[in-house]
Amino acid sequence: MRFQVLGTLEVQDGPRRITPNAPKQRSVLALLLSAAGEVVPTEVLTEELWEGRPPPSARTTLQTYVYQLRKQFVRSAGPTGLPRLVTKHGGYLLVIPDGALDAVDFERLVTSARELLREGRADDAAETLGRALALWHGPALADVVTGPRLAIYRTRLEELRVHAIKLKIEARMRAGQHQELIGELKELTTVYELDEWFHLKLMEALSRAGRRHEALEVYQRLRRILHRELGLEPSGEMRELQRVVLAAG
């Protein structure tokens, strides 16, 4: 069985898609996956589903959702008996096999790529990060109604995604792929227009490709955005890069 949270919530049992349809049941599954291997207290699940305003039937309804999930897992369990959903210490524990959750695979690949980059193996790091980012198929938990806990989990995953994108850009720049990165970096500065790091790397790539005028335009565009949106000026690092590009002329 394979679980996906890096996009829409999906559960695949071989060729069969067995993702729950009920919105609250999907939220229960997502929260259990976010804490796979750890007990999630009943109170946490109730708060997530009803945000402090549980109906009188909340506990019974939650038990029904868990029962339906457990029944599906029993039907789909492999030779190891996993996945398994058990009641434990006033909550529920979801145990899944290694390699069954895309978010765990993603983090493992990013950690591996970070180590490769430290070892100076930029090409291998970039390839590993490419595999990690290919696991994404949209915003995290895109079709799940999130309460406070899942909102935090979703934000964490999205921040890790941006971190992985930055690591991949850094790895490819270390591998000398400045010219090849320009188009991607232009798109990233549009998507993350307030993230100065992407503008900095685009300026570097353009400058190293001999496109000095375009690099200076990136600085001016960022300066306008920051002033309009935040009332701020570019950082000292950006100003220093602008000085270096100007001096190179």
Side-chain angles (χ1 to χ4, degrees), residues 5-9 136-144 154 157-158 161:
V5 296
L6 303 180
T8 56
L9 178 66
W136 287 77
H137 54 283
L141 297 173
D143 58 347
V144 175
R154 173 188 279 167
L157 290 176
E158 291 293 344
R161 183 186 196 180

Side-chain angles (χ1 to χ4, degrees), residues 43-98:
E43 293 76 14
V44 170
L45 287 159
T46 302
E47 172 65 23
E48 186 72 20
L49 294 179
W50 290 285
E51 298 193 34
R53 299 183 298 276
S57 61
R59 182 171 292 273
T60 302
T61 302
L62 176 59
Q63 289 171 345
T64 299
Y65 293 147
V66 171
Y67 169 75
Q68 291 169 343
L69 289 171
R70 182 181 287 131
K71 185 169 63 173
Q72 184 65 65
F73 294 158
V74 168
R75 189 181 303 129
S76 304
T80 61
L82 301 178
R84 185 169 65 250
L85 177 55
V86 297
T87 303
K88 195 170 185 178
H89 304 313
Y92 299 100
L93 171 68
L94 176 61
V95 185
I96 59 177
D98 289 340

Side-chain angles (χ1 to χ4, degrees), residues 223-241:
R223 186 171 184 270
R224 289 193 297 271
I225 291 170
L226 291 177
H227 189 267
R228 181 184 71 240
E229 299 294 332
L230 303 174
L232 298 175
E233 290 291 325
S235 68
E237 190 175 9
M238 284 291 293
R239 294 196 299 272
E240 175 60 19
L241 180 56

Side-chain angles (χ1 to χ4, degrees), residues 5 29-36 38 40 94 101 141 149-150 153:
V5 296
L29 175 58
L31 190 56
L32 291 169
L33 286 170
S34 74
E38 300 178 5
V40 181
L94 176 61
L101 178 59
L141 297 173
R149 296 277 183 133
L150 281 178
Y153 180 61

